[in-house]
Amino acid sequence: MSRKTLYELQAENVRKTYLFIVTFSLILFAIGYFFVWYFNWGLTGIVLLAIFIVLYNWIAYEQSDKIALASVGAIPAHPEEYYVLHNIVEEVALAAGIPKPNVYIMEESQPNAFATGKDPKHASVCVTTGLLQMMNREELQGVIAHEISHIRNRDILLMTVVAVVAGLIILLRDVMLRSMWWGMGESRRRDKNDNGAIILLIIGLIFSIIAPLIVLIIRSAISRQREYLADATGAYIVRDPYGLASALEKIGSYTRPMRVTSDATAHLFISNPFGRAEKLFATHPPIEERIKRLKSLTM
Amino acid sequence: MIWIILGIVAVIVLWFIMTYNSFINLKNRVENAWAQIDVQLKRRYDLIPNLVNTVKGYAAHEKEIFENLGELRAKAMGAQSVKEVGDTNNQITQALKTIFAVAENYPELKANENFLKLQEELTNTENKIAFARQFYNDIVMQYNAAQQRIPASIVANMMRLTPKEYYPVDEGERGPINVQF
C-alpha cells in the first residue's frame, strides 16, 4: 500500500464526494427524463426535474448529518446526564485539534457508534446507550478517537452523503416496484398504450435489481481500509491503541443485531450493525483483524 | 536594468515580510498552545483542595499523601519556567494516581457521588493536560525548527527570537506510536 498523507487523504475524500454527487445526479436525471418522456410532461417536467436534483444534492450535502441522525433516532446527549461522555469527546477533539463535535445518544443495546457531518466544524458523534453501559473510560475514549479520526480524515462527508443518497435509491426502487403493480392493473382503463407500460415494467425490474447493487458497490467503495485507517489514527490521537482494541473485543463479542438499522446507514457505524454475519460485500473488516492490527502498532 | 534590480529588491522585501509574519504567527500559536495548558493546570489546582477534603473524611490516616499533594500544588503554582511547571505537575500526576489507588481500599469513598465526580473531572483535566502538551510540544518544535532553517534564520536573528522550552514529558510514560497507513 502506498503511503498517503492526511491532507492528500482529506482532499481525496472531498473529491470522491463531488464525483459521487455528479454521477448520482446523472443517473437520477436519466431516470427522471424517462418519466418526463413517458408521462409527456415536456419542458416543465425537465425544469422541475432539474430543480429537484439541485435541491436534493443541496440537502444531501448540507443536511445529510441531520437526516442520518434522525433516521437512526439519535437525540442530543444531555450535558449533565452524560457528562463523562461529553468530557471524553472534548478531550479527544482537543487532542485531534478539531472543535468539539455535537454529542448524540441512540437508545440501543448493541454497542456501536458513528460520526457524521460535512466538515469538522459541523460534525456530530453518536453512541448507543449499549456502548456507554459496556465500556470503561479508556475503551470509550478509544471508540470516540476512532470516530473523531473519521471526522478529521473527512470520511464522514462522503459516508453520510452516501447514506442519504442510498436511502433515496432504495426509496425509488420501492416506488417503481409499486407503480409497476398499479400500472399493470390500470393500464387498460387509463387508455395508455401498452408499450409504455411494458417499458416502465422493464425499467422498474432492471432498477429493482441494480438499485441494491449500486448501494452495495458504493458501500464497498467506502473501503474497509478506511476503518483500519481510522483505528490507527484514533490510536495515534490518544496515544493508546489498547483502549480501542479492548472496546472492539467487547463489541465483537456482542452478536445480536441492532433494532433500528438499514442498508443505507450500515456503513456509518464503527462495527457492522447487522451483527456478525459475514457478507460478500461486508461494510466492515473482521473485528479480529482490526484488533490484531491495533495491537501490532509499534510503540 | 533598473527594473531588474527593483524587482529583486521587491522580492526580497516581500520574502522578508512573509517570513517575519510567519514567525509572528508561530510565536502566537506557541503562546496560545501554552495558554491551553495553563487553563487546564489552573483547573487542576482548583480541584485538588476539593479532592483532598472529600478523601480526608474517609481516609484520615493517609495524611502524608494529602500533605505531599498540597506541597506539590503550592510549588507548581509558584513555578516560573516551562520546565519547572512541567516537572512539578508531572509529580502531581503521580500523587493523584496514588490517591486514586488508595481510594480503591475504601469502598464507601468509592461509592461517594462527590468523589466519583471529582475523579472524573480530574481524569478529564489530566487527559486534557496530556493532549495540550502534545500540541504545545509539536508547535514548539515547528517554531524552533523554523528559527534554525536557512535563510529564515537571518530574519529570526534580526527579530532576536529564542527557541521555546519544551513541556517535559513524564518519566516512564509511553512513547509515541508509530502509525503505518
Side-chain angles (χ1 to χ4, degrees), chain A residues 86-98:
Chain A
H86 273 276
N87 278 351
I88 292 175
V89 172
E90 205 177 329
E91 283 161 24
V92 181
L94 181 77
I98 62 162

Side-chain angles (χ1 to χ4, degrees), chain A residues 87 90-91 137 229 298, chain B residues 120 124 127-128 134 178 181:
Chain A
N87 278 351
E90 205 177 329
E91 283 161 24
R137 207 180 189 285
L229 179 63
T298 46
Chain B
E120 167 57 29
N124 180 235
N127 287 340
K128 281 181 177 164
Q134 276 174 33
N178 188 8
F181 291 154

Side-chain angles (χ1 to χ4, degrees), chain A:
Chain A
M1 252 211 83
S2 64
R3 274 166 144 257
K4 281 184 184 135
T5 70
L6 214 58
Y7 294 102
E8 282 167 347
L9 213 96
Q10 286 174 2
E12 193 185 301
N13 281 327
V14 173
R15 211 166 45 238
K16 272 188 190 158
T17 311
Y18 290 135
L19 187 73
F20 176 78
I21 288 179
V22 169
T23 314
F24 175 73
S25 298
L26 290 176
I27 294 173
L28 205 62
F29 191 80
I31 296 164
Y33 189 79
F34 169 77
F35 272 95
V36 170
W37 168 78
Y38 178 71
F39 291 109
N40 249 332
W41 285 336
L43 197 63
T44 330
I46 291 181
V47 171
L48 284 177
L49 177 67
I51 291 174
F52 170 75
I53 290 174
V54 169
L55 210 67
Y56 192 82
N57 282 331
W58 180 79
I59 291 170
Y61 187 78
E62 294 287 331
Q63 310 289 321
S64 56
D65 53 337
K66 289 176 198 82
I67 298 171
L69 285 164
S71 73
V72 296
I75 51 160
H78 195 274
E80 297 276 303
E81 194 181 345
Y82 297 103
Y83 70 99
V84 179
L85 178 64
H86 273 276
N87 278 351
I88 292 175
V89 172
E90 205 177 329
E91 283 161 24
V92 181
L94 181 77
I98 62 162
K100 184 191 171 197
N102 301 319
V103 188
Y104 282 81
I105 283 284
M106 225 177 119
E107 252 345 296
E108 166 65 54
S109 51
Q110 191 198 63
N112 223 327
F114 72 93
T116 176
K118 70 173 170 189
D119 60 45
K121 282 197 192 96
H122 305 87
S124 307
V125 291
C126 175
V127 301
T128 64
T129 43
L131 188 85
L132 288 181
Q133 271 160 20
M134 261 189 195
M135 303 295 162
N136 65 29
R137 207 180 189 285
E138 279 68 38
E139 290 158 349
L140 202 55
Q141 196 181 44
V143 172
I144 298 294
H146 171 103
E147 296 309 332
I148 289 214
S149 36
H150 275 314
I151 296 176
R152 213 176 59 168
N153 299 352
R154 302 288 167 91
D155 294 341
I156 49 165
L157 174 63
L158 180 59
M159 296 205 299
T160 316
V161 167
V162 167
V164 171
V165 168
L168 183 77
I169 292 180
I170 289 164
L171 186 80
L172 261 178
R173 178 195 63 184
D174 294 348
V175 168
M176 279 217 168
L177 283 174
R178 229 151 269 165
S179 70
M180 258 165 48
W181 282 114
W182 288 102
M184 288 206 311
E186 291 176 15
S187 60
R188 277 173 212 292
R189 253 191 295 150
R190 259 194 344 210
D191 228 20
K192 271 266 173 194
N193 66 34
D194 279 350
N195 271 346
I198 288 167
I199 293 174
L200 189 60
L201 179 82
I202 291 168
I203 298 230
L205 268 177
I206 292 172
F207 200 67
S208 65
I209 294 165
I210 63 162
L213 267 176
I214 293 173
V215 175
L216 284 178
I217 290 165
I218 291 164
R219 273 200 339 210
S220 309
I222 300 169
S223 74
R224 302 168 175 209
Q225 203 64 36
R226 198 167 294 224
E227 292 298 321
Y228 289 131
L229 179 63
D231 286 346
T233 5
Y236 181 73
I237 289 172
V238 295
R239 304 283 199 271
D240 170 27
Y242 297 107
L244 179 56
S246 129
L248 284 175
E249 262 162 27
K250 283 190 185 172
I251 289 171
S253 63
Y254 190 95
T255 49
R256 261 175 297 155
M258 213 178 248
R259 276 184 302 117
V260 207
T261 192
S262 86
D263 273 328
T265 49
H267 61 275
L268 287 178
F269 288 93
I270 188 170
S271 83
N272 183 0
F274 295 114
R276 291 192 72 192
E278 292 297 325
K279 290 185 170 183
L280 185 59
F281 291 99
T283 48
H284 294 77
I287 281 195
E288 295 77 15
E289 181 59 28
R290 289 170 69 182
I291 296 169
K292 217 177 84 193
R293 288 201 188 193
L294 269 173
K295 286 187 170 164
S296 69
L297 288 175
T298 46
M299 303 286 281

